[in-house]
Amino acid sequence: MSGMLHIVPTPVGNLEDMTFRAIRVLKEADLILAEDTRTSAVLMKHFDIHTPMRSHHRNNEHRAVEGLVEEIAAGKDVALVSDAGTPGISDPGFMLARACRDAGIEVECLPGATAFVPALVASGLPCDRFCFEGFLPLKKGRATRLARLAEEDRTVIIYESPLRLARTLRQLAESFGEDRPAAVCREISKLHEEIRRDTLGNLFLHFEQNQTRGEIVIVVGSR
């Protein structure tokens, strides 16, 4: 009898965001695939989860998928987690989920934490229609992507590193216009959560002069 792949969201900050169901699934699974086992070990210890873990990240997922599908098809229940949030959303997960579906294996994704939804809703920008872009290309195709997004009639959501934040805000202001409303959301669900709402031009000026840390979500209003 075939096993199942469980995709399990984990907190992006506050451990209290973990669901009862997610804890149960992780405890009952035969194996947990973790983006970084050291990071996930903290979560497992906190919730007294002793299921064996194995690394599953961008550097090994291509060669690991086939063997994992065989294990699950043979009856193993496998849970997939990333360092934070929902696997597959700018994190490993898509390849394994697709391979399991292609093999006729049931894939279950639990609802749970992800950074862009609270950032979008708290930004004060329209959230009835939105475009999630994840991380922009670093070099090739970046200018083309920005030009296309500048014409979007939906709210645009972008993930960014704090080290690249000012540069990206400058490029967004150049492509979208300095007066376009936006929000920079930092450290969602963590102790130092911050949401700064302003125009792209003013946000660039602020973060050019003030270095920041943590996970960043940029939310930009439509044209």
Side-chain angles (χ1 to χ4, degrees), residues 49-146:
I49 298 168
H50 302 284
T51 306
M53 282 196 295
R54 186 187 304 169
S55 293
H56 186 78
H57 47 74
R58 294 198 184 281
N59 294 328
N60 71 0
E61 62 177 337
H62 289 80
R63 61 180 180 272
V65 163
E66 184 177 349
L68 286 168
V69 169
E70 292 177 356
E71 289 185 63
I72 299 170
K76 184 172 288 187
D77 278 336
V78 173
L80 174 67
V81 299
S82 61
D83 289 347
T86 301
I89 305 297
S90 294
D91 280 324
F94 161 70
M95 290 184 62
L96 181 58
R98 178 180 61 183
C100 285
R101 288 290 191 196
D102 290 346
I105 294 169
E106 184 175 357
V107 178
E108 171 189 73
C109 183
L110 279 62
T114 189
F116 78 80
V117 173
L120 170 63
V121 175
S123 72
L125 294 166
C127 51
D128 55 333
R129 299 175 66 245
F130 60 89
C131 170
F132 174 69
E133 281 295 305
F135 289 94
L136 294 171
L138 293 180
K139 294 182 181 179
K140 185 178 180 181
R142 187 178 178 92
T144 301
R145 182 76 60 84
L146 286 168

Side-chain angles (χ1 to χ4, degrees), residues 13-29:
N14 194 322
L15 292 180
E16 292 181 1
D17 294 336
M18 191 74 168
T19 68
F20 293 119
R21 182 182 174 197
I23 295 170
R24 176 184 60 78
V25 168
L26 291 175
K27 287 185 174 182
E28 293 178 353

Side-chain angles (χ1 to χ4, degrees), residues 153-217:
D153 61 0
R154 299 171 292 177
T155 300
V156 176
I157 304 166
I158 297 167
Y159 284 170
E160 192 49 280
S161 156
L163 298 176
R164 297 190 297 264
L165 176 59
R167 168 178 173 256
T168 296
L169 288 170
R170 174 177 57 78
Q171 293 175 332
L172 287 169
E174 292 170 351
S175 298
F176 289 53
E178 293 187 358
D179 294 332
R180 185 76 69 92
V184 173
C185 309
R186 184 178 70 87
E187 295 287 81
I188 293 294
S189 188
K190 297 181 182 177
L191 180 62
H192 299 293
E193 177 177 325
E194 176 189 21
I195 299 178
R196 182 171 290 271
R197 306 168 183 87
D198 211 321
T199 63
L200 282 172
N202 286 339
L203 287 169
F204 162 64
L205 291 175
H206 173 79
F207 287 104
E208 183 185 39
Q209 299 168 9
N210 299 274
Q211 291 186 339
T212 191
R213 298 180 180 179
E215 302 296 326
I216 305 290
V217 184

